[in-house]
Amino acid sequence: MTAAAPDATSVPVESAPSGATSALGAAMPSPETVSATRAIAWACSRDLVLALRAKSEVALIVVFFVLVVSLFPLGVSPDPDLLERIAAGIAWVAALLASLLSLPRLFALDHADGTLEQLVLAPAALPALVAGKVLAHWLTNGLPLVLLAPVAGLQFGMHAEAIGALTVALLLGTPTLSWLGAIGAALTVGTRSGGALLALLVLPLAVPVLIFGAGAPEATTAGLGAQAHLSLLGAGLILACVLGPFATAVAIRIAYK
């Protein structure tokens, strides 16, 4: 028997029969056969489909990043040497602010239409479903910023080695920002002024990522090498990927108690 899905936000719940058809047209396995990998893939593909239906929101992140990086030099000296020294910090601040634009919608829309409650009751591990959502968020919001990093570096006259360090640092650091934002979004879901509260929670936690991320290209320019900074960013990413799904799942469950 196939369970009818009213829209793309519907997910199978525990009461759904085995082999029920999901909103994406793929058969959701029975509770006994749902694995973490399949749950991550399902949640990620679902959110990617929803993101493709709202391309303007994705474009907003990219346009915001480009505008901040382009307009920031107008407020400081046009000295090329100065702009090269502060280029990494500008790129990281722009990436951090751009990521904050989309974080309130990470769980808010699903909470508003009841989908988030279905995810809590779904026949799959909630941390795995959360991991899929965060992966889709990074693919649609963080990865475009990583791809734009070389363009930003060239705009400020950075050397090739520094541009490479900046790109790798963003590649390692932006997923950590997504996990920090996911935990904050889960804690503020359903609250009034959740966006402002989310920024107050995430910004202090993102300071170490910002410091090490901006320090990697600066260390490369100084001839010291960026290995130490990139190693710390990688360690933070591993820690976020291991603990982030469980912390976010706990925060979501708290919201429904």
Side-chain angles (χ1 to χ4, degrees), residues 85-183:
R85 289 196 302 269
I86 66 176
I90 295 174
W92 266 97
V93 170
L96 175 59
L97 296 178
S99 65
L100 287 176
L101 292 178
S102 59
L103 287 178
R105 297 189 298 271
L106 185 57
F107 298 115
L109 297 180
D110 288 342
H111 174 73
D113 62 14
T115 303
L116 190 59
E117 185 175 3
Q118 295 184 38
L119 290 176
V120 175
L121 301 174
L126 183 57
L129 295 173
V130 167
K133 291 180 66 66
V134 175
L135 176 59
H137 175 269
W138 180 79
L139 289 175
T140 55
N141 296 273
L143 184 58
L145 305 184
V146 176
L147 298 178
L148 286 173
V151 179
L154 291 174
Q155 179 180 352
F156 288 98
M158 297 177 65
H159 298 292
E161 295 80 4
I163 293 177
L166 174 62
T167 304
V168 175
L170 285 172
L171 184 63
L172 295 174
T174 48
T176 306
L177 295 180
S178 293
W179 275 117
L180 293 175
I183 297 173

Side-chain angles (χ1 to χ4, degrees), residues 12-222:
V13 294
E14 291 178 342
S15 60
S18 175
T21 302
S22 72
L24 298 179
M28 174 62 72
S30 61
E32 291 79 8
T33 59
V34 174
S35 65
T37 303
R38 299 183 68 179
I40 292 173
W42 183 88
C44 181
S45 60
R46 169 189 175 272
D47 278 27
L48 286 177
V49 169
L50 295 177
L52 292 177
R53 293 180 181 178
K55 299 181 180 66
S56 59
E57 296 182 1
V58 178
L60 176 63
I61 306 299
V62 175
V63 172
F64 179 85
F65 177 81
V66 173
L67 286 178
V68 171
V69 172
S70 301
L71 295 178
F72 196 94
L74 299 179
V76 298
S77 172
D79 182 18
D81 294 333
L82 174 62
L83 293 179
E84 182 182 358
R85 289 196 302 269
I86 66 176
I90 295 174
W92 266 97
V93 170
L96 175 59
L97 296 178
S99 65
L100 287 176
L101 292 178
S102 59
L103 287 178
R105 297 189 298 271
L106 185 57
F107 298 115
L109 297 180
D110 288 342
H111 174 73
D113 62 14
T115 303
L116 190 59
E117 185 175 3
Q118 295 184 38
L119 290 176
V120 175
L121 301 174
L126 183 57
L129 295 173
V130 167
K133 291 180 66 66
V134 175
L135 176 59
H137 175 269
W138 180 79
L139 289 175
T140 55
N141 296 273
L143 184 58
L145 305 184
V146 176
L147 298 178
L148 286 173
V151 179
L154 291 174
Q155 179 180 352
F156 288 98
M158 297 177 65
H159 298 292
E161 295 80 4
I163 293 177
L166 174 62
T167 304
V168 175
L170 285 172
L171 184 63
L172 295 174
T174 48
T176 306
L177 295 180
S178 293
W179 275 117
L180 293 175
I183 297 173
L187 290 173
T188 59
V189 66
T191 61
R192 294 182 179 181
S193 303
L197 183 58
L198 175 60
L200 293 177
L201 290 174
V202 173
L203 288 177
L205 297 176
V207 170
V209 181
L210 185 66
I211 293 174
F212 295 123
E218 293 178 0
T220 301
T221 303

